[in-house]
Short mmCIF file of all heavy atoms in Angstrom, two decimals:
data_model
loop_
_atom_site.label_atom_id
_atom_site.label_comp_id
_atom_site.label_asym_id
_atom_site.label_seq_id
_atom_site.Cartn_x
_atom_site.Cartn_y
_atom_site.Cartn_z
N LEU A 44 89.09 131.07 82.13
CA LEU A 44 88.04 130.23 81.53
C LEU A 44 88.48 129.70 80.18
O LEU A 44 88.32 128.51 79.87
CB LEU A 44 86.76 131.05 81.39
CG LEU A 44 85.55 130.32 80.82
CD1 LEU A 44 85.19 129.14 81.71
CD2 LEU A 44 84.36 131.25 80.67
N VAL A 45 89.08 130.59 79.34
CA VAL A 45 89.52 130.17 78.00
C VAL A 45 90.56 129.07 78.11
O VAL A 45 90.50 128.05 77.40
CB VAL A 45 90.08 131.39 77.22
CG1 VAL A 45 90.77 130.93 75.93
CG2 VAL A 45 88.97 132.36 76.89
N VAL A 46 91.53 129.24 79.02
CA VAL A 46 92.57 128.22 79.18
C VAL A 46 91.96 126.90 79.62
O VAL A 46 92.32 125.83 79.10
CB VAL A 46 93.65 128.69 80.18
CG1 VAL A 46 94.64 127.58 80.46
CG2 VAL A 46 94.38 129.90 79.64
N VAL A 47 91.02 126.97 80.56
CA VAL A 47 90.38 125.73 81.03
C VAL A 47 89.67 125.02 79.87
O VAL A 47 89.83 123.81 79.67
CB VAL A 47 89.38 126.03 82.17
CG1 VAL A 47 88.58 124.78 82.52
CG2 VAL A 47 90.11 126.53 83.40
N VAL A 48 88.93 125.81 79.07
CA VAL A 48 88.22 125.20 77.94
C VAL A 48 89.21 124.59 76.96
O VAL A 48 89.02 123.47 76.48
CB VAL A 48 87.33 126.26 77.25
CG1 VAL A 48 86.75 125.71 75.95
CG2 VAL A 48 86.21 126.69 78.18
N LEU A 49 90.32 125.32 76.70
CA LEU A 49 91.35 124.79 75.80
C LEU A 49 91.90 123.46 76.31
O LEU A 49 92.06 122.51 75.54
CB LEU A 49 92.50 125.79 75.70
CG LEU A 49 92.44 126.79 74.56
CD1 LEU A 49 93.62 127.75 74.64
CD2 LEU A 49 92.46 126.05 73.24
N LEU A 50 92.19 123.42 77.62
CA LEU A 50 92.75 122.20 78.19
C LEU A 50 91.75 121.05 78.07
O LEU A 50 92.14 119.91 77.78
CB LEU A 50 93.11 122.42 79.67
CG LEU A 50 94.39 123.22 79.92
CD1 LEU A 50 94.52 123.55 81.39
CD2 LEU A 50 95.61 122.43 79.46
N ILE A 51 90.47 121.36 78.27
CA ILE A 51 89.46 120.30 78.15
C ILE A 51 89.43 119.80 76.71
O ILE A 51 89.40 118.59 76.46
CB ILE A 51 88.07 120.83 78.58
CG1 ILE A 51 88.09 121.12 80.09
CG2 ILE A 51 86.98 119.83 78.26
CD1 ILE A 51 86.84 121.77 80.61
N LEU A 52 89.49 120.75 75.74
CA LEU A 52 89.50 120.34 74.33
C LEU A 52 90.73 119.48 74.02
O LEU A 52 90.64 118.46 73.34
CB LEU A 52 89.47 121.57 73.42
CG LEU A 52 88.13 122.32 73.39
CD1 LEU A 52 88.23 123.55 72.50
CD2 LEU A 52 87.03 121.40 72.88
N LEU A 53 91.89 119.91 74.54
CA LEU A 53 93.12 119.13 74.32
C LEU A 53 92.95 117.72 74.87
O LEU A 53 93.39 116.74 74.25
CB LEU A 53 94.31 119.80 75.00
CG LEU A 53 94.94 121.00 74.28
CD1 LEU A 53 96.04 121.60 75.13
CD2 LEU A 53 95.49 120.57 72.93
N ALA A 54 92.32 117.62 76.05
CA ALA A 54 92.13 116.30 76.65
C ALA A 54 91.21 115.45 75.78
O ALA A 54 91.48 114.27 75.53
CB ALA A 54 91.57 116.44 78.06
N ILE A 55 90.13 116.07 75.28
CA ILE A 55 89.17 115.31 74.47
C ILE A 55 89.83 114.82 73.18
O ILE A 55 89.68 113.66 72.79
CB ILE A 55 87.93 116.17 74.15
CG1 ILE A 55 87.16 116.49 75.43
CG2 ILE A 55 87.02 115.46 73.15
CD1 ILE A 55 86.03 117.46 75.25
N PHE A 56 90.59 115.73 72.53
CA PHE A 56 91.16 115.37 71.23
C PHE A 56 92.60 114.91 71.32
O PHE A 56 93.34 114.97 70.34
CB PHE A 56 91.03 116.56 70.26
CG PHE A 56 89.61 116.91 69.97
CD1 PHE A 56 89.03 118.05 70.48
CD2 PHE A 56 88.81 116.05 69.20
CE1 PHE A 56 87.70 118.36 70.23
CE2 PHE A 56 87.48 116.36 68.94
CZ PHE A 56 86.92 117.52 69.46
N ALA A 57 93.01 114.44 72.50
CA ALA A 57 94.40 114.03 72.70
C ALA A 57 94.86 113.04 71.63
O ALA A 57 95.94 113.18 71.05
CB ALA A 57 94.58 113.43 74.09
N SER A 58 94.02 112.06 71.32
CA SER A 58 94.46 111.02 70.39
C SER A 58 94.59 111.56 68.97
O SER A 58 95.34 111.01 68.16
CB SER A 58 93.48 109.84 70.43
OG SER A 58 92.18 110.33 70.26
N VAL A 59 93.86 112.65 68.65
CA VAL A 59 93.96 113.25 67.32
C VAL A 59 95.22 114.11 67.22
O VAL A 59 95.94 114.09 66.22
CB VAL A 59 92.71 114.11 67.02
CG1 VAL A 59 92.75 114.64 65.60
CG2 VAL A 59 91.45 113.32 67.28
N ILE A 60 95.48 114.89 68.30
CA ILE A 60 96.59 115.84 68.27
C ILE A 60 97.94 115.12 68.40
O ILE A 60 98.91 115.46 67.74
CB ILE A 60 96.46 116.86 69.43
CG1 ILE A 60 95.11 117.57 69.33
CG2 ILE A 60 97.59 117.87 69.40
CD1 ILE A 60 94.71 118.26 70.61
N ALA A 61 97.98 114.11 69.27
CA ALA A 61 99.26 113.47 69.58
C ALA A 61 99.84 112.80 68.34
O ALA A 61 99.13 112.07 67.64
CB ALA A 61 99.06 112.45 70.69
N PRO A 62 101.14 113.04 68.08
CA PRO A 62 101.77 112.40 66.93
C PRO A 62 101.98 110.90 67.14
O PRO A 62 102.15 110.17 66.18
CB PRO A 62 103.11 113.13 66.79
CG PRO A 62 103.34 113.84 68.07
CD PRO A 62 102.03 114.00 68.74
N SER A 63 101.97 110.44 68.41
CA SER A 63 102.14 109.01 68.65
C SER A 63 101.36 108.62 69.90
O SER A 63 100.79 109.47 70.57
CB SER A 63 103.63 108.69 68.86
OG SER A 63 104.11 109.43 69.96
N GLY A 64 101.34 107.33 70.22
CA GLY A 64 100.65 106.88 71.43
C GLY A 64 101.44 107.25 72.66
O GLY A 64 102.62 107.55 72.58
N TYR A 65 100.75 107.22 73.83
CA TYR A 65 101.43 107.68 75.04
C TYR A 65 102.43 106.66 75.57
O TYR A 65 103.25 106.98 76.43
CB TYR A 65 100.43 108.07 76.12
CG TYR A 65 99.66 106.93 76.71
CD1 TYR A 65 100.14 106.24 77.81
CD2 TYR A 65 98.43 106.55 76.17
CE1 TYR A 65 99.43 105.20 78.36
CE2 TYR A 65 97.71 105.51 76.72
CZ TYR A 65 98.21 104.83 77.82
OH TYR A 65 97.51 103.80 78.35
N ASP A 66 102.36 105.42 75.11
CA ASP A 66 103.30 104.43 75.64
C ASP A 66 104.25 103.90 74.56
O ASP A 66 104.82 102.83 74.71
CB ASP A 66 102.56 103.28 76.32
CG ASP A 66 101.46 102.72 75.45
OD1 ASP A 66 101.29 103.23 74.32
OD2 ASP A 66 100.78 101.78 75.88
#
Side-chain angles (χ1 to χ4, degrees):
Chain A
L44 182 60
V45 170
V46 173
V47 172
V48 171
L49 267 177
L50 283 171
I51 293 174
L52 288 177
L53 281 176
I55 294 173
F56 296 108
S58 51
V59 185
I60 303 163
S63 59
Y65 68 90
D66 50 0

